[in-house]
Amino acid sequence: MNKDNFTTISSKERVKVVNDLLQKEGNDLRKVADTLKIKYSTFTKLMQENDYVYIKRLGQYCKFVQDDSLIVEDPTSDSDEVAYIKENFAILQSLIESRKGNYDFTLDKRIYHSSSKTVTKNFRISDDIYKLFAKTCDEEFPHLKLQDIIAQLLLTFTDQYANQNNI
């Protein structure tokens, strides 16, 4: 790598190159500067850009962060999740488009209330109705548990009809 290339690449790439050279040159900064044909003072100044510092015990340059809350993941590097989204963007977009206009079924916060005790109840229902209900839940709301959907339906019914008997 020549001097012009070295000075124009990003500081992150520069650190990668220098850290590789440091391993080859026995962690000697002056030898690395000589290898790159750059004056030592210019080399060290360039390497300090964007808060990189040389850690002698590690024998390499590292990012210096004064406050942990300032640590930000590099937005240019893709995490596994972002890479997956990019690879499957068309499929995800078609799924979202197919759901537009469908009834938005949301669960009430009371269903997840932590102080509520859960109980198990049995009830009789026509097999055909239950199969139709279970199929609809699987197809339209696969992300929800059947017990949570039933709890929401019971709450909706109660909210709608509880006050009618008091009239």
Side-chain angles (χ1 to χ4, degrees):
M1 174 171 289
N2 63 27
K3 180 181 177 178
D4 292 332
N5 287 348
F6 184 75
T7 57
T8 57
I9 61 175
S10 71
S11 56
K12 186 176 181 177
E13 289 296 317
R14 194 178 304 135
V15 166
K16 286 181 184 177
V17 169
V18 168
N19 285 341
D20 288 342
L21 287 172
L22 281 167
Q23 287 180 345
K24 293 175 187 173
E25 299 294 338
N27 297 333
D28 188 338
L29 292 172
R30 290 193 185 275
K31 284 184 181 176
V32 171
D34 290 342
T35 301
L36 295 169
K37 297 179 178 143
I38 300 174
K39 287 187 354 184
Y40 180 73
S41 60
T42 305
F43 168 74
T44 56
K45 185 178 177 182
L46 273 172
M47 293 308 296
Q48 291 177 17
E49 285 181 5
N50 293 322
D51 295 327
Y52 283 97
V53 294
Y54 180 72
I55 309 293
K56 189 171 185 175
R57 72 181 161 83
L58 297 176
Q60 66 181 12
Y61 278 90
C62 299
K63 185 80 167 170
F64 178 76
V65 180
Q66 294 179 11
D67 183 5
D68 286 345
S69 66
L70 298 176
I71 296 175
V72 178
E73 294 296 321
D74 183 8
T76 59
S77 68
D78 288 346
S79 64
D80 291 340
E81 294 85 2
V82 173
Y84 178 82
I85 290 170
K86 284 183 177 179
E87 289 172 17
N88 297 291
F89 185 76
I91 295 168
L92 294 170
Q93 190 173 22
S94 68
L95 281 172
I96 292 168
E97 290 296 322
S98 71
R99 304 302 281 165
K100 281 187 177 177
N102 286 358
Y103 178 71
D104 187 22
F105 189 82
T106 56
L107 298 177
D108 192 291
K109 292 178 185 178
R110 295 176 285 179
I111 292 172
Y112 298 109
H113 197 265
S114 62
S115 65
S116 294
K117 179 180 141 187
T118 58
V119 295
T120 302
K121 297 292 177 181
N122 294 327
F123 57 93
R124 291 179 183 260
I125 188 169
S126 165
D127 188 48
D128 293 338
I129 293 172
Y130 181 77
K131 284 180 181 176
L132 181 61
F133 172 73
K135 180 181 176 193
T136 303
C137 291
D138 285 341
E139 291 174 358
E140 300 299 325
F141 307 103
H143 58 287
L144 298 175
K145 293 180 183 175
L146 198 60
Q147 68 189 31
D148 294 337
I149 295 172
I150 293 170
Q152 181 60 51
L153 295 172
L154 293 172
L155 273 175
T156 303
F157 179 86
T158 304
D159 290 347
Q160 185 173 353
Y161 295 108
N163 294 331
Q164 289 192 4
N165 290 337
N166 297 333
I167 296 177

